[in-house]
Structures are given as structure tokens and as C-alpha cells.
Amino acid sequence: MLQLQHIQKRFRSFLMEIGELSYFTGRFFRESFKRPFEFKEFMRQCYNMGNRSLLLVAITGFIIGLVLTIQTRPTLLEFGAVSWMPSMVGISIVREIGPIITALVCAGKIGSGIGAELGSMRVTEQIDAMEVSGTNPFKYLVVTRVLAITFMLPLLVFFSDAVALFGSFLVENVKGDVSFTLYFSQVFNALEFGDIIPATVKSFFFGMAIGIVGCFKGYYCKKGTAGVGKAANSAVVFTSLLLFIIDFIAVFVTDIFYDL
């Protein structure tokens, strides 16, 4: 009986959090179109989230390209289809692996950072001080960060895809003596706009999900230093789950359009 009550309480709490997150998202869209526009803060956040994530994204993408090629090459070689390696790796990385892995990396780095930063501002009452002084903290802190990661994540995905394909080329060049021109000509011949556009569109949604969840967890952080850590941790967990849900919906919708 106690176990059932505990489950009901957790489920009720989960539904309340979903409702609060939905209201938070609606408020973000309302505030985004209101003046004044915090352009300087938006550009500063773009620099912080984009430029400072390049190295981590590059390393991750490079390793993905290496591992995917090394693991797949023996199987294709066994079936005499190793010439399809550039096409297969290119489509796999651009369509699915590049966007979702880059989004997960950014969720861990940027999402947790946003949650911890806004959480510490809430705990130290800096957000309350901004409200008292007449500044709109939601527009200055939340809108700028969500828009920044929304616009920067697709660029990070493009960069990660390029580095991953280069890592794959290095393996093919060493093991198969494939030239740079031949490898990337096969990659671009295999790719179509139907591969690039859905991946780019869902990257925007990935970025928005990372920003909204991170800001939501930090903005409504509970008091105390433990609340800041919990906000950062729950932002990463909740965002990761949400990214997989968005990815499933995007793949499902794209598959419907392919069938039409």
C-alpha cells in the first residue's frame, strides 16, 4: 500500500513538472518577441556556448568517425562491399549519429552549465535582486541562453560531422589507400537534401530542448547548495531523455515523408 502511494506521488510530481515545463516554454515564446531584445547578451552566450564547445565536439566527432569506420570495415570487407564505406559512413553520420551525439555532449556540458549557473543565481538571490531593480530576469537570463544554444547547436553539428568524416577518411586512407578526393566525392554523391535538411531541423529542436530544460531546472532551483547540484544533474538527465524522444519523432515523421 505504501509502495503504491509512493508511486502515485512520484507520478503526480512528474505530471506537475511537465505542466510547469510547458508553461515555462510558453512563457519563453511570449518573451522572445517582446522588447527590449538583449542582443549583446545573446551574442555573448553564443560565444560561450559555441566557441568553448568546439574542442570537445571536435574530439567526440573525430573518435566517432574513427570507431565507426574501424568497426564496420571488416564486415563490409567480408562481403566485398568495402567500396560502399564512404557512402555508408557519410549517411550514418549526417542523418543520425552526428546530431544526436553532438546534442548529448552539449547537454552534458552546456545544459548542466546553464542549470548550475542559474541555480546559483537563484540560491544567492541575484534573480530576485534583478526583479526588484526592474530588470526582466527571464528575458535577460533565459531567452538569451535558449536562443543562443538553439542557433549554435546546428553549427556545432555541422562541425562535428565534418571532423567525423575526416576521421573516417584517415582510416580509409591508411587501410584502403583511398584518396581525399575520391572519399569525399563518394560521400557527397551519396548525400541528398533529404538527408541534410531533416538533420538540420531536428538540431534546432535539440538545441531548444537543451536550453529550455537547463534554464527551467536552474531558474526554479531549490534553496541551498545541494539544490544547485541537483538542478545541474536533473537538467542533463531530463534533457537526454527528451533528446531521444525528439529524435524518435523526427525519424518517424521523416520516414512518413520518404514513403509518400
Side-chain angles (χ1 to χ4, degrees):
M1 188 65 181
L2 293 176
Q3 185 70 19
L4 180 60
Q5 291 178 350
H6 178 71
I7 294 175
Q8 290 176 343
K9 184 179 179 181
R10 293 292 298 271
F11 184 69
R12 193 181 303 114
S13 175
F14 173 75
L15 293 180
M16 289 179 62
E17 188 170 22
I18 293 297
E20 292 172 355
L21 181 61
S22 301
Y23 176 79
F24 188 84
T25 304
R27 185 182 177 186
F28 159 74
F29 284 109
R30 290 195 303 271
E31 295 286 348
S32 297
F33 297 100
K34 291 182 180 179
R35 294 179 180 274
F37 301 112
E38 304 289 349
F39 186 73
K40 289 185 178 180
E41 177 66 12
F42 167 73
M43 294 302 296
R44 189 177 75 86
Q45 292 299 327
C46 286
Y47 173 79
N48 290 338
M49 297 177 184
N51 182 63
R52 295 181 180 179
S53 302
L54 281 178
L55 181 60
L56 181 60
V57 168
I59 294 174
T60 305
F62 187 73
I63 294 175
I64 288 172
L66 290 177
V67 171
L68 181 62
T69 307
I70 293 173
Q71 291 287 346
T72 310
R73 198 172 195 280
T75 304
L76 293 182
L77 192 62
E78 184 178 340
F79 288 97
V82 72
S83 60
W84 288 91
M85 176 64 71
S87 304
M88 189 216 68
V89 172
I91 293 175
S92 300
I93 289 176
V94 171
R95 274 190 185 180
E96 185 61 32
I97 299 177
I100 190 64
I101 295 298
T102 305
L104 289 172
V105 169
C106 291
K109 184 179 188 301
I110 299 175
S112 62
I114 293 175
E117 183 182 11
L118 295 188
S120 62
M121 293 182 71
R122 172 64 72 182
V123 168
T124 56
E125 299 182 350
Q126 295 180 49
I127 296 178
D128 298 332
M130 293 177 67
E131 291 175 345
V132 172
S133 64
T135 306
N136 186 349
F138 191 93
K139 192 170 187 63
Y140 185 81
L141 299 175
V142 175
V143 174
T144 53
R145 283 166 172 77
V146 175
L147 290 179
I149 185 59
T150 300
F151 285 105
M152 291 308 299
L153 188 64
L155 299 180
L156 292 174
V157 169
F158 287 144
F159 182 71
S160 176
D161 291 348
V163 176
L165 290 175
F166 181 74
S168 176
F169 156 72
L170 290 180
V171 176
E172 282 295 289
N173 181 258
V174 172
K175 292 195 172 185
D177 197 21
V178 179
S179 67
F180 182 88
T181 304
L182 176 60
Y183 182 88
F184 280 95
S185 64
Q186 291 186 6
V187 169
F188 291 126
N189 286 334
L191 291 174
E192 300 176 353
F193 281 107
D195 301 319
I196 300 174
I197 293 177
T200 305
V201 171
K202 70 180 180 181
S203 296
F204 281 103
F205 285 99
F206 287 164
M208 186 176 295
I210 294 171
I212 288 178
V213 174
C215 289
F216 171 75
K217 292 293 185 179
Y219 200 79
Y220 295 110
C221 173
K222 295 181 180 179
K223 299 295 182 179
T225 54
V228 177
K230 186 177 180 180
N233 181 65
S234 59
V236 176
V237 175
F238 198 90
T239 303
S240 300
L241 177 62
L242 189 58
L243 289 176
F244 285 116
I245 295 174
I246 294 174
D247 189 45
F248 169 75
I249 295 174
V251 171
F252 183 76
V253 172
T254 305
D255 186 62
I256 293 176
F257 279 103
Y258 278 133
D259 293 337
L260 294 177

